[in-house]
Amino acid sequence: VRRATAAHAAAERTPDVLLQHSEPCAWALFPPGRRPGVVIGRTMVETPRVPARWVGCTERVDEVWVPTAWHLEVFAGAGVKREKLAVMPEAVDTA
C-alpha cells in the first residue's frame, strides 16, 4: 500500500480505490484533495470485543471489510456503523 500510494503521489494523482489491511487506527489519513475516491479498511479481531478507540478510527474509511459474519456482528455490536461493514472472506480457502 505504501509503494502504491507513493507511486500515485509521485504521479500527482490519487488512486480511485485504496484497500488497507491493518488495525483501524493504522489506516491512513489524507490531506485535503489527496484522499482516494473510495477507501476500504480490512481488519479483524480474534476476541468478541473491539477496542473502543478502533470504533472512532473506522470513520477514516468508506467501508470496513471483515472476514466473517461473526466479525461483522462483533464490530457492529461495538458501535461501527452497520452500513459500513461488509463480509469479505479470506482469499485462500485451506479447507
Side-chain angles (χ1 to χ4, degrees), residues 46-62:
E46 299 292 340
T47 66
R49 292 170 46 201
V50 172
R53 64 181 232 141
W54 283 17
V55 176
C57 291
T58 64
E59 293 300 315
R60 297 178 182 181
V61 298
D62 300 303

Side-chain angles (χ1 to χ4, degrees), residues 24 43-45 47-52 54-56 58-59 64-66 68-87:
T43 193
M44 59 189 280
V45 65
T47 66
R49 292 170 46 201
V50 172
W54 283 17
V55 176
T58 64
E59 293 300 315
V64 177
W65 290 0
V66 294
T68 68
W70 180 83
H71 288 95
L72 187 144
E73 293 304 323
V74 168
F75 277 80
V80 176
K81 295 175 183 170
R82 191 172 285 275
E83 59 271 12
K84 281 188 173 236
L85 293 164
V87 174

Side-chain angles (χ1 to χ4, degrees), residues 1-22:
V1 170
R2 286 187 184 138
R3 276 189 275 176
T5 302
H8 282 286
E12 295 197 21
R13 60 175 247 216
T14 56
D16 295 326
V17 177
L18 177 64
L19 172 61
Q20 304 177 88
H21 180 102
S22 61

